[in-house]
């Protein structure tokens, strides 16, 4: 029997469509897009173009039949930004010594933008912090701030909330109304960058013997087997860049609030060195101020 050749432009019967190669059917993609739209609280005022782009993003972001899109986390309440000033010892009235980090607040913490589910797909409050000169910002940045009636500020961050009622652009956040003494807060910031470090400093490895002919003092040592598997496992603790990453410390207690000096005294150590920018939000407690699902 003579072999037949497929016609030009015809698809091979054994070939698989792009959707099938990803392991997803069209019905699965539609169900994922509909469930994801409910998660983002898209109401009837959302445009069809945004829904179509969301479906395309889900289709492109699927791997092995599972959706790669994740739900953004919500804050327990609007937060503020502050500057780390340093650490000190605080003496409570009964005489207990508490190590605290002093956080100062420069001019700022002003609402610069409100994002809604109808326009952006989620509800959030954008807050600006730390006043700077006009020449430190670009014209688009100055136009964005002037639209809200705010002063030129260096830092802008969003706080995603369940509801943005009661906020308006240009509103100045009053620290005393948001936080009280004894409240628990989540503090995030950038840790101190320490550059390229070895295994002893970076991962608390122990050094080798210093005498009796040892030639391995602070070296890493063996990092894997030979023939099998013939490679180094992923995630192996090795020398590398240390610090300079974002870190969040949860459920820290506000020990003291000084309204005259405009500082918070928060129990424990906070990320970064003095002068570092900190993001302070009410602590997330599932079932109390954060829904379980």
């Amino acid at each position: 029997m003579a072999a037949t050749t497929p016609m030009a432009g015809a698809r091979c019967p054994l070939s698989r469509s792009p959707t099938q190669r990803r392991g997803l059917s069209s019905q699965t993609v539609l169900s994922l897009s509909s469930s994801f739209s409910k998660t983002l609280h898209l109401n009837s005022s959302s445009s069809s173009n945004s829904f179509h782009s969301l479906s395309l993003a889900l289709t492109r972001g699927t791997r092995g039949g599972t959706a790669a899109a994740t739900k953004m986390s919500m804050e327990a309440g609007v937060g503020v930004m502050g500057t780390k000033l340093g650490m000190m010892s605080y003496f409570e009235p009964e005489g207990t010594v508490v190590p605290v980090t002093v956080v100062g607040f420069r001019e700022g913490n002003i609402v610069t933008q409100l994002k809604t589910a109808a326009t952006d797909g989620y509800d959030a409050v954008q807050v600006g912090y730390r006043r700077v000169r006009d020449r430190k910002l670009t014209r688009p940045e100055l136009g964005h701030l002037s639209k809200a009636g705010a002063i030129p500020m260096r830092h802008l961050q969003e706080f995603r909330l369940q509801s943005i009622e009661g906020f308006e652009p240009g509103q100045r956040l009053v620290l005393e109304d948001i936080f009280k003494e004894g409240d628990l807060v989540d503090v995030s910031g950038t840790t101190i960058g320490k550059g390229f470090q070895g295994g002893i400093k970076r991962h608390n490895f122990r050094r080798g013997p210093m005498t009796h002919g040892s030639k391995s003092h602070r070296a890493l040592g063996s990092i894997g087997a030979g023939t099998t598997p013939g490679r180094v496992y992923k995630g192996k603790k090795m020398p590398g860049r240390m610090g300079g990453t974002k870190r969040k410390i949860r459920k820290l207690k506000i020990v003291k609030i000084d309204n005259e000096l405009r500082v918070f005294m928060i129990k424990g150590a906070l990320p970064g060195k003095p002068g570092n920018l900190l993001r302070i939000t009410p602590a997330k407690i599932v079932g109390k101020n954060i829904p379980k699902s």
Side-chain angles (χ1 to χ4, degrees):
M1 181 180 294
T4 58
T5 58
M7 298 176 59
R11 176 174 295 179
C12 179
L14 297 180
S15 63
R16 306 172 69 181
S17 63
T19 307
Q20 292 174 342
R21 285 199 298 268
R22 296 189 183 95
L24 285 179
S25 62
S26 58
Q27 296 180 354
T28 307
V29 173
L30 291 177
S31 61
L32 283 174
S33 60
S34 60
S35 61
F36 192 72
S37 63
K38 294 179 181 178
T39 306
L40 292 179
H41 304 289
L42 294 176
N43 52 16
S44 57
S45 60
S46 300
S47 62
S48 59
N49 293 332
S50 62
F51 184 80
H52 180 65
S53 61
L54 181 61
S55 303
L56 290 178
L58 277 171
T59 307
R60 296 170 182 172
T62 52
R63 296 178 180 176
T66 57
T70 57
K71 177 182 177 181
M72 294 178 58
S73 61
M74 295 185 180
E75 299 291 349
V78 68
V80 295
M81 287 174 281
T83 304
K84 179 178 179 179
L85 301 181
M87 295 194 68
M88 60 174 290
S89 296
Y90 176 77
F91 291 85
E92 294 184 346
E94 59 272 13
T96 305
V97 182
V98 180
V100 297
T101 301
V102 183
V103 180
F105 300 93
R106 301 187 179 184
E107 189 172 6
N109 284 316
I110 300 175
V111 178
T112 57
Q113 185 182 4
L114 297 179
K115 294 190 175 183
T116 61
T119 58
D120 302 279
Y122 62 96
D123 296 330
V125 176
Q126 186 186 83
V127 179
Y129 173 69
R130 190 174 177 181
R131 181 170 187 172
V132 293
R133 298 179 182 178
D134 296 355
R135 60 185 181 88
K136 295 290 185 178
L137 302 178
T138 62
R139 289 189 177 182
E141 292 173 341
L142 291 174
H144 174 71
L145 295 174
S146 61
K147 182 178 180 181
I151 58 178
M153 291 175 290
R154 181 181 299 275
H155 305 288
L156 296 177
Q157 289 194 12
E158 287 185 3
F159 298 90
R160 185 176 180 186
L161 307 176
Q162 300 178 14
S163 176
I164 59 174
E165 295 182 0
F167 296 97
E168 57 184 8
Q171 176 184 355
R172 184 179 299 273
L173 299 180
V174 182
L175 304 178
E176 295 78 11
D177 296 342
I178 302 176
F179 300 103
K180 306 293 181 183
E181 293 184 1
D183 290 350
L184 298 179
V185 293
D186 295 342
V187 183
S188 61
T190 304
T191 60
I192 299 177
K194 299 181 180 296
F196 194 96
Q197 299 296 334
I200 292 180
K201 183 178 180 67
R202 192 183 186 204
H203 300 294
N204 297 320
F205 286 176
R206 292 185 298 177
R207 63 169 175 81
M210 303 299 291
T211 58
H212 298 285
S214 173
K215 297 182 180 180
S216 178
H217 305 310
R218 297 178 66 91
L220 192 64
S222 176
I223 58 176
T227 304
T228 304
R231 61 183 177 86
V232 179
Y233 287 113
K234 291 184 178 181
K236 173 66 178 175
K237 294 181 179 180
M238 300 181 68
R241 184 69 62 86
M242 180 180 179
T245 58
K246 185 177 180 180
R247 182 67 56 86
K248 175 184 284 188
I249 304 180
R250 302 191 62 240
K251 296 183 180 180
L252 296 178
K253 181 181 178 181
I254 299 180
V255 178
K256 179 69 175 178
I257 297 179
D258 195 324
N259 297 327
E260 296 181 1
L261 300 177
R262 290 183 57 80
V263 297
F264 282 3
M265 297 182 184
I266 302 177
K267 183 178 180 179
L270 302 182
K273 56 186 177 181
N276 188 38
L277 177 70
L278 297 176
R279 174 188 173 107
I280 306 174
T281 58
K284 295 181 181 179
I285 302 177
V286 178
K288 182 177 180 180
N289 51 21
I290 290 293
K292 294 184 179 180
S293 58

